[in-house]
Each structure stands twice: as C-alpha cells, then as structure tokens.
C-alpha cells in the first residue's frame, strides 16, 4: 500500500542543551532527512513541525525542530518516530520505498502463480534481498535484480517476478 507519510527515523536522544535531537535515520543515510522542510509525529500528517536545521553527525542525524527550544522539550520527544511527506522526497516515477513493497503479493510474471507476500527487505550492499513468505509459512529469499523483478505495482500491492532456478521447491 502506498502511503503518503512514511517513517524516516526515530528520535533516540538529545544533543546539547538547546533542543537539538539525535535521530536514528531509517532511510538512505543521515543526510537524507535534510531534504524535508517539515517532519511529522504521526503517519497521517496531522502533527508536523518545521525543520529549522538538520545535519549528519556520523551515522545519526542532528535535527532542530520548531518549538523544541530546550533540553526538556527535546527529552519529551525521545522515542518518537518521525514521518516524512512522500511529496517532498524527490522519488522518481519508477522508484519505491521499502515500506511501499512490504505486504505486496509476489506472482510469477509468466504463469501468475502466487509465491507469497513480501515481508522484509535486507540491504546487502550489492543488491537488496526480498524475503517472501508463502501461504504455508515458508520463507524464500530472492535477489531484487532486473533479471528477477519484472514489474512492481505498489498501488495494487502486487509484484511480478521471474525467479532464478532453484529458489522455489517445485522448480526443475
């Protein structure tokens, strides 16, 4: 299901005494969060705060939000999940977020056979690996490469693939 507001990270601590927040990014990297002018505390975009400053600091992001002007206000936000607006993401037409893919049915591009549901994505460096859970509860791992993934329709919660030989039990 394609959502407008997606999780971008979690506030894990404070930084200094002026309200700066330490955010563990759940995205491409600590600097990715800097592209957003507003971040939200809910997945519906109701409770947003303007981003005053944002900068990478090692593997975390240091963030200052409007209205968070001291250590007490910053401490109160510890543990909160931050959401971003997809419309500010700059994502291309044939690009998706991992969150868009989770829950999609995975089907054979030629036969229409249903292999299962995409439940997780592992980022391995060379290529992502998609975890597919069958109706019987068995997990299969497929490489997210062009030779395997044919079409992705997150709005329809459907992905078509041409699996490599040997991934699924009943293949020759």
């Amino acid at each position: 299901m394609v959502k407008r507001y997606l999780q971008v990270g979690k506030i894990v601590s404070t930084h200094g005494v002026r309200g700066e927040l330490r955010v563990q990014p759940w995205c491409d990297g600590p600097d990715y969060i800097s592209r957003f002018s507003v971040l939200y505390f809910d997945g519906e975009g109701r409770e947003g705060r303007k981003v005053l400053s944002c900068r990478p600091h090692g593997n975390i992001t240091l963030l200052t939000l409007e209205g968070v002007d001291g250590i007490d206000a910053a401490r109160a936000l510890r543990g909160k999940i931050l959401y971003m607006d997809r419309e500010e993401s700059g994502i291309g037409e044939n690009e998706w977020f991992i969150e868009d893919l989770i829950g999609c049915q995975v089907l054979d591009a030629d036969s229409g056979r249903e292999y299962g549901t995409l439940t997780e994505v592992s980022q391995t460096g060379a290529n992502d690996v998609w975890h597919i859970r069958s109706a019987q509860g068995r997990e299969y791992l497929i490489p997210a490469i062009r030779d395997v993934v044919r079409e992705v329709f997150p709005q329809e919660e459907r992905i078509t693939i041409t699996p490599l030989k040997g991934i699924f039990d009943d293949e020759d």
Side-chain angles (χ1 to χ4, degrees), residues 22-66:
R22 294 174 65 89
V23 176
Q24 175 187 14
W26 294 346
C27 46
D28 286 343
D31 59 332
Y32 182 79
I33 296 174
S34 66
R35 71 176 56 198
F36 301 100
S37 61
V38 176
L39 292 172
Y40 302 86
F41 292 114
D42 65 286
E44 286 79 43
R46 291 184 300 243
E47 191 182 344
R49 298 276 179 96
K50 184 178 179 182
V51 175
L52 301 178
S53 71
C54 184
R55 58 193 167 99
H57 184 72
N59 62 348
I60 65 158
T61 301
L62 297 179
L63 178 69
T64 304
L65 297 174
E66 184 176 57

Side-chain angles (χ1 to χ4, degrees), residues 147-160:
D147 289 345
V148 173
V149 178
R150 293 296 173 204
E151 295 179 298
V152 178
F153 304 99
Q155 301 82 354
E156 300 170 21
E157 298 183 14
R158 181 171 56 94
I159 298 169
T160 59

Side-chain angles (χ1 to χ4, degrees), residues 106-113 115 148-151 158-163:
V106 179
L107 308 166
D108 189 282
D110 297 321
S111 70
R113 173 185 170 196
Y115 293 116
V148 173
V149 178
R150 293 296 173 204
E151 295 179 298
R158 181 171 56 94
I159 298 169
T160 59
I161 66 169
T162 302

